[in-house]
Amino acid sequence: YGCVRTAGFPFIKTFEDFDFSFQPTINKEQILDFKNLRFIENKDNIIFVGSPGVGKTHLAISIGITAAQNRDSTYFINCNDLIANLKKANSENRFMNRLKHYSKYKLLIIDEVGFLPIDSEGANMLFQLINKRYENHSTIITTNKPFGKWHEIFGDVTLANAILDRLLHHSHIINISGNSYRLRDKLKSEIEDT
């Protein structure tokens, strides 16, 4: 479990914990097929797109845990934390070092891309990281923004397209259009309370 511990997961969620019946838009076979980790061998990316609460992070973590248990170097980080770390490193003249650090993982999970807007410095750094990982290692992205709106996240159409271009080239795109689990659980508890 050492590899799982060092991967930085905010919580431990497995495929077994996922309620596929609640998200009928998800192709369960396709998701469970990621357990064989062929996508890592093929250096493919996986991108989960859907509104908050539909289970994107849960599935990304489940895949990440499988990879870590297989001793593939895996790291999970929230997009804004990632950019903050890269900016901090840049201000300490350690940017290239930090970039190398995040580039070396066989699987990097970047959670919540587009949750908050990213300034041009941050967008540029993210591009450099994605570019360095491109065709070398797999990246899993979770995002609540459809690709057509990524220019709004980065405030720059050209940069958004350059990032998407590299992410989407070898990728599995999972669109989840169902309801929010968090909302479901909240509604359930309110009904039980009445």
Side-chain angles (χ1 to χ4, degrees), residues 128-191:
Q128 289 184 61
L129 175 60
I130 298 296
N131 195 38
K132 234 176 152 50
R133 295 184 61 79
Y134 175 59
E135 297 192 324
N136 291 314
H137 294 303
S138 297
T139 306
I140 297 181
I141 301 271
T142 73
T143 181
N144 60 333
K145 284 260 193 293
F147 302 133
K149 292 197 167 166
W150 273 39
H151 63 280
E152 294 172 10
I153 306 172
F154 300 109
D156 182 325
V157 175
T158 315
L159 198 56
N161 287 345
I163 290 172
L164 281 170
D165 194 50
R166 285 157 183 77
L167 281 177
L168 299 179
H169 185 200
H170 306 284
S171 71
H172 306 269
I173 298 162
I174 316 291
N175 281 297
I176 311 177
S177 56
N179 298 314
S180 163
Y181 282 100
R182 286 192 279 272
L183 219 56
R184 173 194 69 167
D185 293 340
K186 182 137 183 41
L187 293 171
K188 218 166 50 188
S189 68
E190 278 175 11
I191 291 163

Side-chain angles (χ1 to χ4, degrees), residues 2-189:
C3 299
V4 174
R5 240 200 340 269
T6 55
F9 298 118
F11 45 78
I12 298 297
K13 293 271 192 189
T14 64
F15 290 107
E16 288 68 42
D17 304 326
F18 194 81
D19 181 2
F20 284 99
S21 65
F22 186 66
Q23 294 300 16
T25 59
I26 296 178
N27 176 343
K28 185 176 179 180
E29 280 66 48
Q30 181 189 22
I31 300 289
L32 295 180
D33 196 49
F34 292 136
K35 285 166 94 167
N36 61 34
L37 303 176
R38 251 198 321 269
F39 76 97
I40 293 181
E41 270 168 64
N42 299 337
K43 303 172 176 54
D44 291 345
N45 302 322
I46 302 174
I47 304 169
F48 289 102
V49 187
S51 48
V54 293
K56 303 182 299 293
T57 301
H58 181 150
L59 290 173
I61 287 174
S62 302
I63 297 168
I65 286 172
T66 308
Q69 286 169 339
N70 191 50
R71 305 214 178 291
D72 288 321
S73 59
T74 302
Y75 195 70
F76 176 101
I77 190 164
N78 175 285
C79 182
N80 298 312
D81 294 343
L82 172 67
I83 287 168
N85 290 350
L86 289 172
K87 283 184 175 178
K88 184 174 184 291
N90 195 35
S91 69
E92 297 164 357
N93 295 320
R94 295 183 303 110
F95 177 70
M96 289 321 286
N97 246 353
R98 209 70 200 134
L99 196 62
K100 266 203 201 89
H101 169 79
Y102 288 125
S103 304
K104 72 176 197 303
Y105 289 103
K106 271 183 131 179
L107 177 60
L108 181 66
I109 303 170
I110 306 175
D111 193 37
E112 294 195 331
V113 174
F115 213 71
L116 295 170
I118 295 166
D119 65 11
S120 59
E121 184 195 10
N124 235 307
M125 291 173 170
L126 188 63
F127 169 73
Q128 289 184 61
L129 175 60
I130 298 296
N131 195 38
K132 234 176 152 50
R133 295 184 61 79
Y134 175 59
E135 297 192 324
N136 291 314
H137 294 303
S138 297
T139 306
I140 297 181
I141 301 271
T142 73
T143 181
N144 60 333
K145 284 260 193 293
F147 302 133
K149 292 197 167 166
W150 273 39
H151 63 280
E152 294 172 10
I153 306 172
F154 300 109
D156 182 325
V157 175
T158 315
L159 198 56
N161 287 345
I163 290 172
L164 281 170
D165 194 50
R166 285 157 183 77
L167 281 177
L168 299 179
H169 185 200
H170 306 284
S171 71
H172 306 269
I173 298 162
I174 316 291
N175 281 297
I176 311 177
S177 56
N179 298 314
S180 163
Y181 282 100
R182 286 192 279 272
L183 219 56
R184 173 194 69 167
D185 293 340
K186 182 137 183 41
L187 293 171
K188 218 166 50 188
S189 68

